[in-house]
């Protein structure tokens, strides 16, 4: 039995005990609805101040959208996800070392009818510099003017201070790149396919400021996944939060009272930290738009490539927006020598025809037959990513009045950083409501 399976059985026993052996209290200082990253971050901060917090979670484990499952021994996250350990809030509230991160190269493989080319960050992947230089000399990588314009734009985003980025007029990122002369083969074959997977859209409607923040974070951190999958992140937070009740669905949440399938709880403050759709339903908030993604998890007897870099189809020969042999750089995701491949398409409700189109396009991307690959899981997520349209509203209110609060990445930014910051901001707002001082922010650990 693998290390992951032993831990899973232990965790399942703990959660089962939490669900069935603990009665819901009649009252608490604060009730947090939802044990996703924002809810856990909020409850953690309140617990540090000594507040009596009860967390209600409809699912059987923490994490919300940041979850993982073991399928036939393979770790499959709920959709392809990566952690940027450079996020400040992650470094403040998470023991990053305990996650045993498995890193991925700062590189992109662009596949096309004329072969594959590698584009890498020369600072972090100096060994790939000759291949990157050769790739940039191809006509398919755009003119030197477009490459220079893109490099100037990316370097400015990577070096700028956050307040500087926010001070600039905002507009959709497609219009911003047009204005900067980034329009040609580089954009069509590389930038747009890459951003489609990051943003969940390919119409260019996302805030330019938000895209610049993403570029800034990419330049500062190396993408990675924890040894046990992305679930390790919320599980670590949950260990710091007493009073989590799983398998409890909240039916209504309002001033001073929460009604659920396990009973009612009176509270001095109520925090709704569910996904945006449930938060809208519970609180009557304006609709929050989101983008859907579907991830296909395939297993192959052998890896179609030795590369651990993300692959995109520069010729756009099908629905695939990116694919990666995740087990090449994260061996813990596979129980043996077989390869685990994660492939993402836009939209959260594809039909079976799309799956056939996916495997056909993957054969073109990797230049290898895929007909014997086994589909072990498909994650269709209609609300995978919160939309971040221009103009960017990066600090939406979390206080709704009468002791009711809302937390989630839709109150900040669509990222792990945004979810954690939202939880902290909401905890501070709750403490202010209760007449208590905020909990001091933890200092950033040294690199």
């Amino acid at each position: 039995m693998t290390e992951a399976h032993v831990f899973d059985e232990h965790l399942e026993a703990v959660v089962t005990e939490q669900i069935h052996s603990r009665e819901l209290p009649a009252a608490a200082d604060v009730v947090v609805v939802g044990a996703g990253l924002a809810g856990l971050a909020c409850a953690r901060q309140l617990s540090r101040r000594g507040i009596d917090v009860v967390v209600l979670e409809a699912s059987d484990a923490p994490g919300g959208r940041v979850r993982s499952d073991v399928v036939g021994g393979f770790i499959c996250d709920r959709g392809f996800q990566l952690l940027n350990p450079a996020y400040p809030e992650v470094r403040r509230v998470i023991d990053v070392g305990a996650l045993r991160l498995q890193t991925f190269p700062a590189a992109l493989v662009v596949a096309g009818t004329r072969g594959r080319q590698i584009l890498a960050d020369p600072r972090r992947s100096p060994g790939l510099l000759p291949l990157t230089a050769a790739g940039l000399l191809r006509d398919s990588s755009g003119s030197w003017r477009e490459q220079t314009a893109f490099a100037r734009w990316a370097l400015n985003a990577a070096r700028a201070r956050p307040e500087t980025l926010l001070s600039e007029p905002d507009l959709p990122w497609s219009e911003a790149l047009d204005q900067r002369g980034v329009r040609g083969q580089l954009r069509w074959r590389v930038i747009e396919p890459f951003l489609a997977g990051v943003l969940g859209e390919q119409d260019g409607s996302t805030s330019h400021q938000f895209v610049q923040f993403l570029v800034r974070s990419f330049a500062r951190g190396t993408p990675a996944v924890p040894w046990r999958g992305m679930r390790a992140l919320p599980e670590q937070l949950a260990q710091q939060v007493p009073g989590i009740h799983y398998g409890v669905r909240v039916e209504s949440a309002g001033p001073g009272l929460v009604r659920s399938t396990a009973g009612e709880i009176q509270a001095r403050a109520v925090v709704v930290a569910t996904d945006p759709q449930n938060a809208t339903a519970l609180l009557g908030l304006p609709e929050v738009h989101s983008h859907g993604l579907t991830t296909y998890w395939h297993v192959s007897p052998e890896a179609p490539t030795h590369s651990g870099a993300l692959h995109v189809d520069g010729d756009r020969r099908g629905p695939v927006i990116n694919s990666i042999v995740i087990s090449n750089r994260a061996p813990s995701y596979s129980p043996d020598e077989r390869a685990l491949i994660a492939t993402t398409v836009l939209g959260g409700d594809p039909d079976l025809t799309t799956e056939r189109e996916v495997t056909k396009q993957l054969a073109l991307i990797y230049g290898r037959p895929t007909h014997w690959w086994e589909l072990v899981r498909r994650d269709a997520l209609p609300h995978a990513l919160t939309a971040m349209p221009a103009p960017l509203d990066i600090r939406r209110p979390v206080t709704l009045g009468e002791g009711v609060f809302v937390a989630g990445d839709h109150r900040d930014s669509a990222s792990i950083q945004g979810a954690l910051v939202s939880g902290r901001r909401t905890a501070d707002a709750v403490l202010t409501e209760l007449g208590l001082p905020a909990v001091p922010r933890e200092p950033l650990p040294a690199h």
Side-chain angles (χ1 to χ4, degrees), residues 238-251:
Q239 292 172 6
Q240 305 175 58
V241 178
I244 303 179
H245 295 256
Y246 298 102
V248 178
R249 185 171 298 279
V250 170
E251 299 169 334

Side-chain angles (χ1 to χ4, degrees), residues 218-304:
F218 293 155
R220 283 167 163 72
T222 301
V225 292
W227 183 263
R228 296 192 57 259
M230 291 297 293
R231 59 184 169 173
L233 197 66
E235 286 173 1
Q236 189 182 125
L237 283 173
Q239 292 172 6
Q240 305 175 58
V241 178
I244 303 179
H245 295 256
Y246 298 102
V248 178
R249 185 171 298 279
V250 170
E251 299 169 334
S252 67
L257 182 66
V258 173
R259 293 187 175 91
S260 75
T261 53
E264 297 183 351
I265 307 181
Q266 294 183 338
R268 298 170 64 191
V270 175
V271 176
V272 175
T274 64
D275 60 80
Q277 291 68 41
N278 281 317
T280 296
L282 287 172
L283 300 174
L285 297 173
E287 181 183 1
V288 176
H289 297 287
S290 58
H291 301 303
L293 294 171
T294 295
T295 299
Y296 294 85
W297 298 91
H298 287 99
V299 171
S300 170
E302 59 183 26

Side-chain angles (χ1 to χ4, degrees), residues 374-433:
E374 177 189 359
L375 179 65
V376 296
R377 178 183 170 102
R378 182 180 66 177
D379 290 311
L381 306 172
H383 305 292
L385 296 171
T386 301
M388 294 277 112
L392 184 64
D393 188 0
I394 204 169
R395 286 292 184 269
R396 302 183 68 186
V398 298
T399 303
L400 303 182
E402 299 185 271
V404 179
F405 303 83
V406 60
D409 67 1
H410 54 100
R411 314 313 290 178
D412 282 77
S413 62
S415 63
I416 289 174
Q417 167 75 5
L420 295 176
V421 168
S422 170
R424 170 174 52 78
R425 284 206 302 128
T426 306
D428 289 346
V430 170
L431 291 172
T432 297
E433 177 85 6

Side-chain angles (χ1 to χ4, degrees), residues 202 313 315-321 345 357-358 361 364:
Q202 54 186 358
D313 188 344
D315 292 341
R316 305 192 187 189
R317 294 165 288 183
V320 172
I321 55 174
V345 304
E357 293 172 352
V358 165
Q361 188 180 0
L364 299 175

Side-chain angles (χ1 to χ4, degrees), residues 36-332:
L37 294 184
L40 292 172
C42 177
R44 174 185 177 274
Q45 286 291 89
L46 295 173
S47 297
R48 292 179 62 213
R49 180 56 74 193
I51 298 296
D52 176 28
V53 183
V54 171
V55 180
L56 306 181
E57 170 55 47
S59 186
D60 59 354
R65 285 171 286 177
V66 185
R67 291 281 301 272
S68 312
D69 297 294
V70 178
V71 183
F74 294 91
I75 296 177
C76 299
D77 296 324
R78 299 281 176 93
F80 174 59
Q81 304 179 52
L82 292 174
L83 172 65
N84 188 336
Y87 281 145
E89 203 68 14
V90 169
R91 294 167 56 202
R92 284 192 174 96
V93 305
I94 295 294
D95 181 354
V96 175
L99 297 178
R100 298 169 63 187
L101 294 179
Q102 304 166 103
T103 60
F104 292 82
L108 188 69
V109 177
V110 184
T113 55
R114 288 181 285 179
R116 279 162 290 279
Q117 63 188 101
I118 297 177
L119 302 177
D121 183 343
R123 300 170 306 149
R124 289 180 289 174
S125 300
L128 297 177
L129 181 58
L131 292 175
T132 297
L136 290 175
L137 291 174
R138 295 186 184 183
D139 293 340
S140 57
S141 294
S143 67
W144 68 268
R145 285 189 174 87
E146 184 186 14
Q147 293 178 17
T148 301
F150 172 74
R152 186 182 300 114
W153 171 79
L155 286 173
N156 176 73
R159 295 171 176 173
R161 297 175 62 86
E163 54 269 26
T164 300
L165 297 179
L166 289 174
S167 67
E168 300 173 353
D170 197 15
L171 67 165
W173 71 263
S174 60
E175 295 181 22
L177 291 191
D178 282 342
Q179 291 181 2
R180 287 160 176 78
V182 185
R183 47 179 184 269
Q185 287 296 305
L186 178 64
R187 175 166 164 178
W188 170 259
R189 304 189 75 254
V190 181
I191 301 170
E192 290 185 356
F194 173 73
L195 287 180
V198 176
L199 305 174
E201 55 91 344
Q202 54 186 358
D203 60 7
S205 60
T206 300
S207 157
H208 179 230
Q209 289 180 350
F210 181 64
V211 172
Q212 286 180 299
F213 275 116
L214 291 178
V215 172
R216 187 176 185 274
S217 68
F218 293 155
R220 283 167 163 72
T222 301
V225 292
W227 183 263
R228 296 192 57 259
M230 291 297 293
R231 59 184 169 173
L233 197 66
E235 286 173 1
Q236 189 182 125
L237 283 173
Q239 292 172 6
Q240 305 175 58
V241 178
I244 303 179
H245 295 256
Y246 298 102
V248 178
R249 185 171 298 279
V250 170
E251 299 169 334
S252 67
L257 182 66
V258 173
R259 293 187 175 91
S260 75
T261 53
E264 297 183 351
I265 307 181
Q266 294 183 338
R268 298 170 64 191
V270 175
V271 176
V272 175
T274 64
D275 60 80
Q277 291 68 41
N278 281 317
T280 296
L282 287 172
L283 300 174
L285 297 173
E287 181 183 1
V288 176
H289 297 287
S290 58
H291 301 303
L293 294 171
T294 295
T295 299
Y296 294 85
W297 298 91
H298 287 99
V299 171
S300 170
E302 59 183 26
T305 177
H306 295 298
S307 173
L310 194 70
H311 286 58
V312 299
D313 188 344
D315 292 341
R316 305 192 187 189
R317 294 165 288 183
V320 172
I321 55 174
N322 63 52
S323 183
I324 186 171
V325 184
I326 196 167
S327 55
N328 278 353
R329 295 301 292 262
S332 68

